Amino acid sequence: MSEYKVLDASDLEAISQYVPRERILWADEINEEYSHDELSADASYPEMVVKITSAEEASKVMRYANDKHIAVTPRGAGTGLVGSSVAVEKGIMIDTTLMNHFLELDEKNLTLTVEPGVLLMEIGQYVEEKGLFYPPDPGEKTATIGGNISTNAGGMRAVKYGVTRDYVRGLEVVLADGTIMEVGGKVVKNSSGYDLKDLIVGSEGTLCLVTKAILRLLPLPQKNVSLLIPFPTLAQAIGTVPLIVSSNVIPTAVEFMEREVIMDSEEYLGKKFPDNQADAYLLLKFDGASVEEISKYYDSVAQICLEQGALDLLIADTDERAEAIWKARGAFLEAIKGSTTMMDEVDVVVPRSCVNEFVEFVHDLRKEMGIRIKSFGHAGDGNLHVYILRDDMDDKKWAEMLGKAMERMYIKARELKGQVSGEHGIGLAKKPYLKESLPKESMKLMQGIKKAFDPNNILNPHKVCFD
Amino acid sequence: MSEYKVLDASDLEAISQYVPRERILWADEINEEYSHDELSADASYPEMVVKITSAEEASKVMRYANDKHIAVTPRGAGTGLVGSSVAVEKGIMIDTTLMNHFLELDEKNLTLTVEPGVLLMEIGQYVEEKGLFYPPDPGEKTATIGGNISTNAGGMRAVKYGVTRDYVRGLEVVLADGTIMEVGGKVVKNSSGYDLKDLIVGSEGTLCLVTKAILRLLPLPQKNVSLLIPFPTLAQAIGTVPLIVSSNVIPTAVEFMEREVIMDSEEYLGKKFPDNQADAYLLLKFDGASVEEISKYYDSVAQICLEQGALDLLIADTDERAEAIWKARGAFLEAIKGSTTMMDEVDVVVPRSCVNEFVEFVHDLRKEMGIRIKSFGHAGDGNLHVYILRDDMDDKKWAEMLGKAMERMYIKARELKGQVSGEHGIGLAKKPYLKESLPKESMKLMQGIKKAFDPNNILNPHKVCFD
């Protein structure tokens, strides 16, 4: 039985004093969407959803929950893949989507201050109109920035620009006891005590609730050029990546893709992919001040690819051509999802030099197990997305096959000195694998940190590394 | 009275079983150098210095110290400025300078694995010979990489490349109880539980001892060009910086310097600075694939500077010319130190747009107080280095003036939403100011984190945020 308080009418009445009743969903008012995220099989309804509009409201709700020992689950757009925003202990769900305001664009300090419910695609549009650039580029553009911060989302441009953590300068957060606290700020460097900011980024809502973020921007690169490079084999394609990354150019993105996933995408989008001559492709992007400058970079990369056996080089130097390719890439997750009844994913990250070994392992595994497994991913980062498809398996067989396939892949990732998650987080779905992957001392330290932030364990219980 | 055990002959005998006696310094064998760091006024001799050569040795020593409740102070080259490596509770000092081996250069994953005692200048030389690049560039090249990790050192190239934390991919550490643990690895992305790696970077030896580091490298930029730009006033020079940084080029370095500090440097080096027409200068560096490519960048920056009133533009596109300027810049700290009897420093970081206001405040303060205060710094990062000079003040006056000057500057930094330290850390010297600067909840969280890592508080006690 749960140790958490079950909500009743008195709680509804109390919370209604902090947040107007019309922004509270209670019992039957709670839509099915609130019971799950985008992919994870975990499902559970919260007893109450509170749509906050300020840190002050969040503070009052959290203080109440802390006093009464009610579980609190933060939720943005619900686009997570590992169950981080599922209310396993029911209780109160704090929905941040109404906190969706742009608060300040500071062009002198190149920072953008936003509320957590602003969507990733809104940030891109807002800053690019002003000639500025927010580099993190996860595939899911309808995610909230709060959600991106919560999982330390990565995305396509991480090869050159890094991940969400690298673009968060400061945060306003609400602690479990209701305290509103700031960490970091507009400063570029900081050696003033322990790095709480980076600890909070990626903590999946288990340490505090983010109510404001100061994001770092860059000047917008003037030009982009994408290169689609067909290879005779996937091994040749992926084997070329370390050579590219250690050459004297730094690509913005390095993705790998296979014919079978491209075909799913063609079907999903109802649109032909610009090339069909090969089973395996690298997709590269370069950015810079001008097409001439970029062309110098990709000339040397083209040379490397041809030396490694590339069949062709398709240069997409107009927005239209590039869009056709990247749109196909962007649809992979949905396209694979649409090709089966149900699926689950593995988001391992391995050293860049080990991607080939991991992908070959996955190919062998699906042959051995006789099930469909598809993959694509950020070859430049060593971050693979592997999808295990249910197709027509019954419940028992699915549970068995899924468990076996995942276990085998995580063991392989550990063998290659990889980590359980490159960018999707741990949530509920990856918890057992994290436990097997990290040294037990690391888990113990994380538990100590959790205790320092949330001594009553009300914030997003059972996630990441907690039983 | 100290709560820590005072060492006696039995401890020497015990530790000698873990580490050969010839690598232990005891009582009178301990050189005066071990009692202080490079700048801080704090001084205290450890009772024993242990020169470790492996994580296993460190583990045994730490386990013993933890059992007996002996304070342990890690020390690299002792080039710190804030007293982080001073053994305030005496006990055991762990000297890492013999752990100075390069363990692996992985060109496929662009990582370099080193022991903590390797010097910053050795890393630069080692990787640049191989066409690779370790971007962090603190002024003090004889610091160990362990020390750089411990304070999250910044340096000149942080404008474009970031700080030490951004180039640490993985660590092997020894915890207070002797456990040897790894965090991170060669992976580029990681969303697998709380970010212990970034928490340890910058923790000034209070959480654990670093015994191995996996550093991230980049391809070495082919060319550098430096620009020395004289301005009629410092305000004009610094006021130009946000315009440069938000334009469509990202300089590698943006430093500001004043005539009076340049003169100290000329005297210290016995060498004339390449220009003497102005009281204030910006020093910029750009890097890229070719001089032609870089020249496009600096042409637009030159335009901005001239519009803001720059008197001239001195382009240093040969190594010799650039070296004369950067050597002068590199000597500032030593030159100022040589110009007085004693000094202390302030290493605040403020938003880039507030540098001018802070520098003007410092100018007014020295007029008001009638003492010499000199400054220079990383204008592109908002990170100032301000030195308060003792000259001929007696002890009482010095203590009074130093305290007042520092207090006033930290209040001003807080007012501008700055932080106490940009890159030198907190140690002992900045502890009272950190306490005033951070919200008390932050301090409490840091104390909770410390407790999780080091429940008996043996590791570098009284530093950073602990009484």
Side-chain angles (χ1 to χ4, degrees):
Chain A
M1 226 189 87
S2 164
E3 53 167 326
Y4 294 92
K5 182 182 189 307
V6 175
L7 299 196
D8 58 34
S10 72
D11 300 308
L12 176 61
E13 199 189 319
I15 299 290
S16 305
Q17 288 170 22
Y18 309 138
V19 177
R21 180 63 180 84
E22 61 269 26
R23 287 198 272 106
I24 299 175
L25 304 177
W26 173 251
D28 292 350
E29 298 162 14
I30 301 172
N31 187 299
E32 186 264 347
E33 285 293 314
Y34 285 106
S35 70
H36 62 82
D37 70 3
E38 186 67 24
L39 186 70
S40 144
D42 306 286
S44 174
Y45 279 82
E47 292 158 296
M48 182 192 288
V49 175
V50 182
K51 299 185 176 197
I52 56 162
T53 59
S54 70
E56 290 67 31
E57 284 183 355
S59 165
K60 287 173 192 162
V61 173
M62 302 262 278
R63 181 165 293 132
Y64 182 84
N66 198 41
D67 288 347
K68 301 278 182 187
H69 204 56
I70 297 168
V72 174
T73 308
R75 187 183 198 269
T79 59
L81 302 174
V82 295
S84 285
S85 64
V86 177
V88 270
E89 288 286 0
K90 304 182 183 292
I92 298 173
M93 176 165 281
I94 294 189
D95 176 333
T96 63
T97 54
L98 295 182
M99 288 190 75
N100 60 354
H101 299 95
F102 288 87
L103 300 177
E104 187 202 30
L105 177 70
D106 179 342
E107 300 201 39
K108 280 196 163 179
N109 290 303
L110 290 185
T111 58
L112 175 72
T113 306
V114 293
E115 290 184 330
V118 173
L119 304 186
L120 186 60
M121 62 186 185
E122 295 170 336
I123 291 177
Q125 199 187 343
Y126 186 88
V127 301
E128 285 173 28
E129 276 171 9
K130 291 170 174 72
L132 295 169
F133 184 41
Y134 176 70
D137 187 32
E140 180 54 85
K141 312 294 186 234
T142 64
T144 64
I145 187 67
N148 272 210
I149 292 168
S150 142
T151 59
N152 185 28
M156 325 272 193
R157 294 192 283 240
V159 187
K160 180 166 179 176
Y161 291 105
V163 296
T164 302
R165 179 174 285 128
D166 302 312
Y167 293 87
V168 176
R169 287 242 189 269
L171 294 171
E172 176 194 78
V173 300
V174 180
L175 299 177
D177 68 0
T179 303
I180 300 173
M181 187 182 83
E182 289 182 7
V183 293
K186 288 184 181 174
V187 294
V188 171
K189 289 167 158 179
N190 198 357
S191 289
S192 310
Y194 299 158
D195 185 11
L196 300 181
K197 188 268 287 177
D198 287 321
L199 186 62
I200 292 169
V201 176
S203 64
E204 302 184 36
T206 63
L207 296 182
C208 52
L209 178 80
V210 172
T211 48
K212 196 194 290 183
I214 302 175
L215 305 175
R216 166 192 176 204
L217 304 177
L218 293 179
L220 184 65
Q222 305 287 291
K223 291 284 170 200
N224 284 300
V225 174
S226 295
L227 243 69
L228 182 68
I229 311 169
F231 279 88
T233 66
L234 187 63
Q236 275 168 288
I238 294 175
T240 306
V241 175
L243 304 175
I244 295 171
V245 177
S246 61
S247 75
N248 262 301
V249 299
I250 303 174
T252 312
V254 184
E255 301 284 311
F256 77 88
M257 42 180 79
E258 291 179 89
R259 162 90 358 230
E260 54 169 26
V261 177
I262 292 171
M263 283 164 66
D264 287 334
S265 176
E266 285 178 327
E267 195 178 319
Y268 179 77
L269 294 172
K271 224 177 155 181
K272 281 279 161 207
F273 192 68
D275 189 82
N276 68 356
Q277 64 183 298
D279 283 342
Y281 293 84
L282 284 186
L283 173 55
L284 277 73
K285 190 188 261 186
F286 296 89
D287 62 22
S290 65
V291 173
E292 297 71 49
E293 180 192 317
I294 301 170
S295 72
K296 270 185 230 150
Y297 296 148
Y298 68 68
D299 282 352
S300 73
V301 168
Q303 196 52 44
I304 294 172
C305 290
L306 291 170
E307 279 165 20
Q308 298 302 310
L311 299 171
D312 199 353
L313 281 157
L314 302 151
I315 298 169
D317 52 4
T318 66
D319 288 351
E320 295 71 37
R321 276 194 239 177
E323 207 191 310
I325 304 171
W326 284 100
K327 208 171 170 185
R329 164 63 187 86
F332 282 178
L333 172 61
E334 289 300 324
I336 296 175
K337 206 173 159 187
S339 81
T340 185
T341 53
M342 196 182 207
M343 66 181 196
D344 205 346
E345 58 112 46
V346 164
D347 163 51
V348 292
V349 59
V350 297
R352 196 184 289 133
S353 63
C354 303
V355 174
N356 243 339
E357 188 173 341
F358 194 86
V359 173
E360 274 167 27
F361 173 84
V362 171
H363 284 181
D364 290 347
L365 186 67
R366 70 180 176 189
K367 237 180 270 168
E368 178 198 322
M369 293 184 65
I371 58 175
R372 291 203 304 150
I373 303 180
K374 298 195 176 186
S375 62
F376 59 89
H378 311 302
D381 309 325
N383 182 203
L384 288 302
H385 297 327
V386 185
Y387 297 86
I388 304 131
L389 310 188
R390 176 164 175 170
D391 297 338
D392 56 1
M393 288 182 239
D394 63 25
D395 285 358
K396 191 169 158 254
K397 188 170 180 201
W398 169 235
E400 185 194 316
M401 287 293 178
L402 180 64
K404 188 174 163 193
M406 291 188 106
E407 183 68 31
R408 292 281 298 277
M409 283 192 256
Y410 288 113
I411 289 173
K412 186 69 188 176
R414 278 206 295 288
E415 187 191 312
L416 299 173
K417 293 198 171 277
Q419 300 282 344
V420 172
S421 170
E423 56 183 18
H424 296 164
I426 301 302
L428 287 167
K430 306 300 153 60
K431 219 169 54 165
Y433 308 110
L434 186 74
K435 202 170 175 177
E436 286 171 8
S437 163
L438 288 185
K440 68 176 193 304
E441 295 79 15
S442 279
M443 299 290 275
K444 214 180 124 196
L445 290 172
M446 290 180 193
Q447 284 154 4
I449 291 167
K450 167 75 172 174
K451 213 176 170 73
F453 275 81
D454 179 18
N456 301 325
N457 192 25
I458 61 153
L459 257 173
N460 218 1
H462 310 301
K463 308 290 169 69
V464 186
C465 53
F466 306 106
D467 291 331
Chain B
M1 226 190 84
S2 163
E3 54 166 326
Y4 294 93
K5 181 181 190 307
V6 175
L7 299 196
D8 58 35
S10 72
D11 300 308
L12 176 61
E13 201 191 316
I15 299 291
S16 305
Q17 289 173 18
Y18 310 137
V19 178
R21 180 64 180 84
E22 61 269 26
R23 287 198 272 108
I24 299 175
L25 304 178
W26 172 251
D28 292 350
E29 298 161 14
I30 300 172
N31 188 298
E32 186 264 347
E33 285 294 314
Y34 284 106
S35 70
H36 61 83
D37 70 4
E38 187 66 23
L39 186 70
S40 143
D42 307 286
S44 174
Y45 280 82
E47 292 159 295
M48 181 193 286
V49 175
V50 183
K51 300 185 175 196
I52 57 162
T53 59
S54 69
E56 290 66 31
E57 284 183 355
S59 166
K60 288 173 191 161
V61 173
M62 302 262 276
R63 181 165 292 132
Y64 181 85
N66 197 41
D67 288 347
K68 301 278 182 185
H69 203 57
I70 298 168
V72 174
T73 308
R75 188 184 197 267
T79 60
L81 302 173
V82 295
S84 285
S85 64
V86 177
V88 269
E89 287 286 0
K90 304 182 182 293
I92 298 172
M93 176 166 279
I94 294 189
D95 176 333
T96 63
T97 54
L98 294 182
M99 289 190 73
N100 60 353
H101 300 94
F102 289 86
L103 300 178
E104 186 202 31
L105 177 69
D106 179 342
E107 300 201 40
K108 280 197 165 177
N109 290 304
L110 291 185
T111 59
L112 175 72
T113 306
V114 293
E115 289 186 328
V118 172
L119 303 186
L120 186 59
M121 61 186 185
E122 295 169 337
I123 291 177
Q125 200 186 343
Y126 186 88
V127 301
E128 285 173 28
E129 276 171 9
K130 291 171 173 72
L132 295 168
F133 184 40
Y134 176 70
D137 187 32
E140 179 56 84
K141 312 292 186 233
T142 64
T144 63
I145 187 68
N148 272 209
I149 291 168
S150 142
T151 59
N152 185 27
M156 327 271 192
R157 295 192 283 240
V159 187
K160 179 165 179 177
Y161 291 106
V163 296
T164 302
R165 180 173 285 128
D166 302 311
Y167 293 87
V168 176
R169 287 242 189 268
L171 294 171
E172 177 194 77
V173 299
V174 180
L175 299 178
D177 68 0
T179 303
I180 300 173
M181 186 183 84
E182 289 182 5
V183 292
K186 287 185 182 176
V187 293
V188 172
K189 289 167 160 181
N190 197 357
S191 290
S192 310
Y194 299 159
D195 185 12
L196 299 181
K197 187 268 287 177
D198 286 322
L199 186 62
I200 292 169
V201 175
S203 63
E204 302 186 37
T206 63
L207 296 182
C208 53
L209 178 79
V210 172
T211 49
K212 195 194 290 181
I214 302 174
L215 304 175
R216 165 192 176 205
L217 304 176
L218 294 180
L220 184 65
Q222 305 287 290
K223 291 286 170 198
N224 283 300
V225 174
S226 294
L227 243 66
L228 182 68
I229 311 168
F231 279 88
T233 67
L234 188 63
Q236 276 169 286
I238 295 176
T240 306
V241 175
L243 303 175
I244 296 171
V245 176
S246 59
S247 75
N248 260 302
V249 299
I250 302 175
T252 312
V254 184
E255 301 284 311
F256 77 88
M257 43 179 79
E258 292 178 270
R259 162 92 356 233
E260 55 170 25
V261 178
I262 292 172
M263 284 165 65
D264 287 335
S265 175
E266 286 179 325
E267 196 178 318
Y268 178 80
L269 294 172
K271 222 178 156 179
K272 282 278 162 208
F273 191 69
D275 187 83
N276 67 357
Q277 62 183 300
D279 284 340
Y281 292 86
L282 284 185
L283 174 54
L284 277 74
K285 190 187 261 185
F286 295 89
D287 62 23
S290 66
V291 172
E292 297 71 50
E293 179 192 318
I294 301 170
S295 70
K296 269 184 232 150
Y297 297 147
Y298 69 67
D299 283 352
S300 72
V301 168
Q303 198 51 45
I304 294 171
C305 291
L306 291 171
E307 280 165 19
Q308 299 301 311
L311 299 170
D312 199 352
L313 280 157
L314 302 151
I315 298 170
D317 52 4
T318 66
D319 288 353
E320 296 70 37
R321 277 195 239 177
E323 206 191 311
I325 304 171
W326 285 100
K327 209 173 169 182
R329 165 63 187 86
F332 282 177
L333 171 62
E334 289 300 323
I336 296 175
K337 206 173 160 189
S339 81
T340 185
T341 53
M342 195 180 207
M343 66 182 198
D344 206 346
E345 58 112 47
V346 163
D347 164 49
V348 292
V349 59
V350 297
R352 197 185 288 134
S353 62
C354 302
V355 174
N356 244 339
E357 187 173 343
F358 194 86
V359 172
E360 274 168 27
F361 173 83
V362 171
H363 284 181
D364 290 347
L365 185 67
R366 70 181 176 188
K367 240 180 267 167
E368 178 198 322
M369 293 184 66
I371 58 173
R372 291 204 303 151
I373 303 179
K374 298 195 175 186
S375 61
F376 60 88
H378 311 302
D381 309 325
N383 182 204
L384 287 303
H385 297 328
V386 185
Y387 298 87
I388 304 131
L389 310 189
R390 175 164 176 171
D391 296 339
D392 57 2
M393 288 181 237
D394 63 24
D395 285 357
K396 191 171 157 252
K397 189 171 177 200
W398 170 235
E400 186 194 315
M401 287 293 180
L402 179 64
K404 189 175 162 192
M406 291 187 104
E407 183 69 30
R408 291 281 299 276
M409 284 192 257
Y410 287 113
I411 289 173
K412 185 69 188 175
R414 276 205 297 286
E415 187 191 310
L416 299 173
K417 294 198 170 276
Q419 299 282 345
V420 171
S421 170
E423 56 183 18
H424 296 162
I426 300 302
L428 286 167
K430 306 300 153 58
K431 219 171 55 166
Y433 308 110
L434 186 73
K435 203 170 173 175
E436 286 172 8
S437 163
L438 289 184
K440 67 176 194 305
E441 295 79 16
S442 280
M443 299 291 274
K444 215 180 125 198
L445 290 172
M446 290 181 194
Q447 284 155 3
I449 291 166
K450 168 75 172 173
K451 214 176 168 73
F453 275 81
D454 179 18
N456 300 325
N457 192 26
I458 62 152
L459 256 174
N460 218 0
H462 310 301
K463 307 291 169 67
V464 187
C465 53
F466 308 106
D467 292 331

